[in-house]
Amino acid sequence: MTRKIPVFFLVFLLFFATARTAEAMHITEGILPFQWFVTWFAVSAPFVGIGMYQVKRKKRTIPSYLPMVGLLGAAVFVFSCFPIPVIALSGMATSHPCGTGMSAVLLGPFVSVLVAAIALLIQALFLAHGGLTTLGGNVFSMGILGSFSGYFAFKMAQRCRLPLFWCGFLAGMISDIFTYLGTSLELGLLVINGGGSFVKATTEIFAAFMMTSQGILCLVEGAVVGFVMVFIYKRRPGILLNLGVIKNEAKSMGT
């Protein structure tokens, strides 16, 4: 099974790489000044490093862990390959589903950051989506904020003893919202050198996302993650148990 995952990933890559046009997505190449792209790389690098360490450690104790990493890596890659232009942002960024809420719940937030970083790197290199100088910033918003917000939303929902569908729904929705809040913060910081208002710029950019496509996409992604969790629970509950997503005594959450 471990040999099949890269094949699926390559098929997805070739499918999107052969598209006629490549619209820039995430934060576009060239948008971030030198000091900011260095800052976001410095912030994101430790999370990616911890994710790599956790993959090496967990694959020794959970036999199905590495195939799951590959499968969810492909899912995050495909999820975030559907750019929807936001006209109000004048080409600085586009909106899209993320998938990091789902990967964070199943793999853990640090490994989800690693998965997002790999997906974003491939998109920047081969699809002209995002960019290399903006990679650190995109990893921060989609990988770090998206993964950790989705993970903690799922855990809080579990503590409130919500059904598994709603735990997954909140994970997907909150992850999506925080991803675009992070992107808005990064773009809002760019106005400081010009004497603009960071709070005003960030609010306007976030509103542009949420009042157009992303307001609907976050609900759709929440529903998708919720249904995926319930589907896995009903068909292969052992996967969720082995990954520590649910416990034996929590099986009543499946409906």
Side-chain angles (χ1 to χ4, degrees):
M1 183 176 182
T2 56
R3 294 180 180 177
K4 294 180 180 180
I5 299 301
V7 175
F8 290 133
F9 195 82
L10 181 60
V11 169
F12 284 128
L13 176 60
L14 291 175
F15 174 80
F16 286 100
T18 54
R20 289 187 305 170
T21 60
E23 297 183 47
M25 61 190 302
H26 313 302
I27 297 180
T28 309
E29 182 71 81
I31 293 295
L32 297 181
F34 177 79
Q35 66 268 29
W36 284 117
F37 91 71
V38 171
T39 298
W40 296 123
F41 265 106
V43 170
S44 301
F47 289 86
V48 175
I50 294 173
M52 295 174 66
Y53 169 77
Q54 289 193 353
V55 168
K56 291 180 180 179
R57 181 171 58 86
K58 290 183 179 181
K59 72 178 183 179
R60 298 171 186 159
T61 57
I62 306 175
S64 62
Y65 192 76
L66 206 55
M68 284 294 295
V69 171
L71 182 61
L72 286 164
V76 170
F77 176 82
V78 173
F79 264 50
S80 57
C81 265
F82 294 96
I84 300 175
V86 181
I87 298 175
L89 297 182
S90 303
M92 290 192 297
T94 59
S95 63
H96 54 84
C98 299
T100 46
M102 179 171 62
S103 62
V105 169
L106 293 171
L107 301 175
F110 284 103
V111 177
S112 180
V113 174
L114 173 63
V115 164
I118 294 172
L120 289 166
L121 177 61
I122 293 174
Q123 290 172 5
L125 288 174
F126 298 104
L127 306 182
H129 293 169
L132 294 178
T133 62
T134 59
L135 182 61
N138 288 326
V139 170
F140 174 77
S141 57
M142 191 175 107
I144 298 173
L145 291 186
S147 297
F148 279 87
S149 62
Y151 177 81
F152 285 117
F154 185 86
K155 292 301 181 182
M156 289 298 294
Q158 280 186 318
R159 285 181 175 271
C160 295
R161 304 191 67 81
L162 294 181
L164 186 58
F165 171 82
W166 292 108
C167 293
F169 178 87
L170 288 173
M173 183 184 71
I174 296 298
S175 171
D176 201 291
I177 291 173
F178 269 79
T179 293
Y180 284 90
L181 177 59
T183 301
S184 302
L185 289 170
E186 292 171 42
L187 294 177
L189 286 168
L190 301 182
V191 306
I192 294 178
N193 290 338
S197 170
F198 162 70
V199 174
K200 180 181 178 182
T202 300
T203 302
E204 290 177 349
I205 293 169
F206 186 64
F209 277 126
M210 300 310 296
M211 292 176 66
T212 53
S213 55
Q214 209 60 37
I216 297 174
L217 281 178
C218 69
L219 298 176
V220 173
E221 184 162 355
V224 169
V225 177
F227 281 121
V228 167
M229 291 296 142
V230 173
F231 178 82
I232 296 174
Y233 176 83
K234 290 182 176 180
R235 296 298 182 92
R236 298 286 299 275
I239 292 177
L240 299 183
L241 288 168
N242 290 336
L243 294 175
V245 178
I246 61 173
K247 299 179 181 178
N248 283 307
E249 62 269 22
K251 282 195 172 185
S252 60
M253 293 174 57
T255 56

